[in-house]
Amino acid sequence: KIRGCRCHADVWDYCCSRTETPIKRQSTRFLRVLLAFRGIVLDNDPLALCPIPGKTVIPSTGTAMNIEKNAVVTFHYTVAESGQEPMESSKDSQALSVLIGHGAIIPGLEAALTGKQAGDHVEVTVTPDQAYGERREGMTQRIPKKLFKNAKLVPGMQVVLPTEMGPRAMTVLKVGLSAVDVDLNHPMSGKNLDFKIDIIDVRSATEEEISHG
């Protein structure tokens, strides 16, 4: 089932359940979290929606379906900063499944997928205005260290912290005895991102999936 507020530990290295440790060290799967953050360009304040593990996909009927609003799309992806080596690929792990038209992925990637079908290969460069916005000055904040539980923090580490508006990605700037300085710009803000997408399956979402967004 697609849930708008539940995470799946086998896909995310971070789980937003309040029973889980709120911070985990950056890993090769960190971008799985970033990919599913809804990019709010105006205030650069992304809200989190959870990726749907590929294992939950309901088989399609065999009739080719174009990607449109309220479609569930399962795909493998490779992503890189423009001109750089890939930062992550799902090819050796689970495919990602998302609900289209509900802010589950960045606008530029969703637009590139719209109208495509299962079996299509898509390559697109997504600019900051269609991804995570431009970097902004003055986006630093000092946060009580106790909110990070017992995490071993070092400058430059990218972390995810629960907030009232959902999990928030940030970068550690300085670690003190009782407080941590962080950069609240999304770690992927200001960057052109090159995506290579292989679409595996397209199906209509169930009413329950749509109601959860």
Side-chain angles (χ1 to χ4, degrees):
K1 296 180 180 180
I2 300 174
R3 300 288 185 180
C5 62
R6 293 176 182 263
C7 298
H8 303 269
D10 56 342
V11 173
W12 284 28
D13 285 333
Y14 164 83
C15 180
C16 68
S17 167
R18 294 186 178 182
T19 63
E20 297 289 333
T21 302
I23 295 296
K24 291 193 177 183
R25 185 177 296 272
Q26 181 185 7
S27 73
T28 58
R29 288 191 175 185
F30 186 71
L31 283 181
R32 277 192 177 274
V33 180
L34 300 187
L35 182 64
F37 273 74
R38 179 168 54 208
I40 305 298
V41 176
L42 293 181
D43 61 7
N44 198 13
D45 187 19
L47 308 181
L49 293 179
C50 301
I52 312 154
K55 66 183 180 183
T56 66
V57 171
I58 300 172
S60 63
T61 61
T63 302
M65 175 181 173
N66 289 340
I67 296 175
E68 58 187 9
K69 184 175 181 179
N70 294 333
V72 174
V73 183
T74 302
F75 60 89
H76 277 294
Y77 70 92
T78 298
V79 60
E81 286 186 51
S82 290
Q84 304 295 322
E85 292 297 315
M87 293 182 285
E88 177 170 328
S89 175
S90 66
K91 290 296 183 68
D92 295 326
S93 58
Q94 280 188 329
L96 192 69
S97 294
V98 296
L99 178 62
I100 297 296
H102 294 261
I105 54 177
I106 55 178
L109 182 56
E110 183 169 277
L113 294 178
T114 299
K116 302 299 190 296
Q117 298 180 348
D120 286 349
H121 176 79
V122 178
E123 295 190 15
V124 60
T125 296
V126 180
T127 55
D129 63 302
Q130 292 297 308
Y132 303 102
E134 298 291 351
R135 290 189 60 80
R136 296 170 56 193
E137 299 297 327
M139 291 287 286
T140 59
Q141 184 173 332
R142 181 160 292 174
I143 298 176
K145 193 174 183 179
K146 63 182 180 181
L147 296 181
F148 296 86
K149 304 298 182 181
N150 297 320
K152 296 181 179 180
L153 303 174
V154 295
M157 179 187 294
Q158 294 173 343
V159 296
V160 181
L161 188 69
T163 72
E164 293 180 356
M165 299 180 69
R168 178 70 179 265
M170 59 192 73
T171 302
V172 175
L173 299 177
K174 181 180 179 181
V175 181
L177 293 177
S178 61
V180 179
D181 291 347
V182 297
D183 180 357
L184 296 178
N185 280 295
H186 193 285
M188 294 293 104
S189 64
K191 297 180 179 179
N192 292 324
L193 300 175
D194 292 339
F195 286 94
K196 294 182 179 179
I197 306 292
D198 289 305
I199 303 170
I200 298 171
D201 186 74
V202 182
R203 65 171 175 85
S204 297
T206 65
E207 291 184 4
E208 182 181 9
E209 290 170 339
I210 294 172
S211 69
H212 283 289

